[in-house]
Amino acid sequence: MTDDELMSVAREVAGRAYCPYSGFRVGAALLSRSGQVHAGCNVENASYGVTICAERGALMSGRAAEGEEFAIARVALCLPGIPREELPAGGWPCGACRQALAEFASDEVMVLSTGEDPGFMVTSTMGELLPMAFRGAVLK
Ligand code: THU
C-alpha cells in the first residue's frame, strides 16, 4: 500500500463526512501492521460535543475489525477545506485524536496529511505530534 493509495482512501472517506454544523470535512485512513486499511470521517451532532472526529472513527473501526491484532503502521489524513499554505501548520489531528491514536501507534509511525490540493502532502510522526505521550502505568 503506497502513501498515495492510502491517501486516496482518506480523500474518498472525507467526502462522506457528516458536518452540517462546521462545514469542515475530515477523512482518515489507517494502515494497520497486518496490512488492512480502516477509514473514518467526522460525524457531527446537533449536540456539538457528541461529534466524533475522523481519526477516532477510523480507530474504532480498526480495533473492531482486528481485535488484539490491531496496531497502526501509518496514518493518512485528508482535510479538503485546508488551503495548501495552511496545511503545514494546521493540517494535523486534534489533541484528543493524537492521544487516542498513540494508544495503538508507536512514536515512529508516519502521519501524512493533504488538504485542498491533492498534489501537496505534508508528513510528520506520532512522536513529533505528541511528544512524551501518556501511556499509563503499563509500559508498552
Ligand atoms: N475534526 C476531525 O475530524 N479531526 C480532527 O483532528 C480535528 C477536527 C472534525 C471535528 C468537527 O466535525 C470538525 O472537524 C471541525 O472541528
Side-chain angles (χ1 to χ4, degrees):
M1 167 77 43
T2 66
D3 289 352
D4 284 344
E5 286 168 343
L6 192 64
M7 189 55 80
S8 64
V9 175
R11 189 167 291 276
E12 188 183 350
V13 73
R16 296 187 209 124
Y18 176 72
C19 51
Y21 305 103
S22 73
F24 189 77
R25 293 179 179 278
V26 185
L30 308 179
L31 177 67
S32 75
R33 282 204 205 140
S34 67
Q36 295 185 47
V37 176
H38 305 285
C41 57
N42 52 328
V43 179
E44 298 186 345
N45 191 276
S47 178
Y48 297 171
V50 178
T51 293
I52 306 288
C53 291
E55 296 90 328
R56 275 178 284 159
L59 186 68
M60 303 310 143
S61 176
R63 174 70 195 201
E66 295 193 41
E68 288 186 7
E69 294 298 305
F70 179 63
I72 298 171
R74 215 178 318 151
V75 178
L77 297 180
C78 179
L79 307 103
I82 297 208
R84 184 186 175 118
E85 59 275 14
E86 286 176 23
L87 194 70
W92 304 109
C94 78
C97 287
R98 294 178 199 202
Q99 178 66 30
L101 292 168
E103 188 76 17
F104 296 93
S106 66
D107 283 351
E108 294 71 39
V109 164
M110 296 294 303
V111 182
L112 325 166
S113 181
T114 57
E116 191 177 60
D117 177 359
F120 182 65
M121 190 185 289
V122 291
T123 64
S124 186
T125 63
M126 282 300 302
E128 200 170 41
L129 292 168
L130 187 66
M132 295 180 273
F134 178 69
R135 298 188 190 278
V138 180
L139 291 175
K140 288 177 186 162

